[in-house]
Amino acid sequence: MSTTTPSLPGQASVPPPATAAAGPAAAPRVLRQRRRRPGLIALSVALIAAGGLSGALLFTASGQRTAVLVVAHDVPVGAAITAADLAPASMALDPAVKTVPVSRKSDLVGQRAAVALKAGALLAPAQVTDASLIKPGEQLVGVALKPSQLPASRLAPGQKVLIVSTPDPNTPAAGQGKQGEPSASPKTLAATVVAVGQPAPATGVVVVDVAVPASDGPALAARAATGAVALILAAREG
């Protein structure tokens, strides 16, 4: 049983000493200093430098531009390419993209479009050919046609057409039946459009150059001279 000593007058009371039940005082914590690892620091610096160098090389490569040719005007398939149809352009391109350098422009003038070329498109080497639309064993015949003798759709070189023999206007009764209709199916001749002229201002007559077998060339020329022909588009293959 503990006793408390009363304090005398004028004397400050002294608190009792701490008992053993409170336990010993905790020792102060000692902060450990982190050990520096020079190898890890050097590796981090090397990775940062490599990343910066890669970014610089990529920026430099993307900034390299090449002078190439683009299509300035629409060119139908088979049409001859003029200098005005091609224009220079400076582009940053992937090496896998096939292009035509500006230095080859003079070589392409006069060649034909292997496919329909659209204005603003990048020109590829395979889109141009020097092959003629007139094959061996064929003849070129010019056929003058009025607007009523050809389709309203614009003709383009390379298109397959049929030249149809119509009743001769000088002999309207020849080959006609009782009701004034042709007694038999009209003769047709397969041909390939090589060139299309400009319509005449007054009459709208258009001269279309077509390639036909040499054996049929003279007969078509004679028939076309009378104006007793018409042109229709052949069905596309496939």
Side-chain angles (χ1 to χ4, degrees), residues 54-65:
S54 300
L57 292 176
L58 181 61
F59 177 79
T60 302
S62 62
Q64 293 179 353
R65 308 179 76 84

Side-chain angles (χ1 to χ4, degrees), residues 82-171:
T82 65
D85 294 329
L86 304 176
S90 180
M91 298 182 178
L93 301 172
D94 189 281
V97 178
K98 303 300 181 183
T99 59
V100 180
V102 174
S103 58
R104 287 198 56 202
K105 180 177 180 179
S106 59
D107 299 335
L108 300 182
V109 174
Q111 296 192 29
R112 298 185 178 276
V115 297
L117 303 179
K118 298 299 181 181
L122 191 64
L123 185 66
Q127 295 176 331
V128 180
T129 179
D130 55 0
S132 175
L133 293 179
I134 305 175
K135 300 177 182 179
E138 292 183 339
Q139 290 181 341
L140 186 67
V141 180
V143 182
L145 300 168
K146 295 183 294 185
S148 60
Q149 294 174 295
L150 75 165
S153 300
R154 183 180 178 182
L155 296 176
Q159 285 182 316
K160 301 299 182 180
V161 296
L162 293 177
I163 306 297
V164 183
S165 296
T166 59
D168 193 334
N170 298 323
T171 57

Side-chain angles (χ1 to χ4, degrees), residues 77 132-135 138 151 155-163 189-194 208 210-212 231-237:
V77 57
S132 175
L133 293 179
I134 305 175
K135 300 177 182 179
E138 292 183 339
L155 296 176
Q159 285 182 316
K160 301 299 182 180
V161 296
L162 293 177
I163 306 297
L189 177 62
T192 302
V193 176
V194 176
V208 181
V210 294
V212 296
L231 184 146
I232 62 177
L233 288 175
R236 294 183 179 181
E237 297 181 358

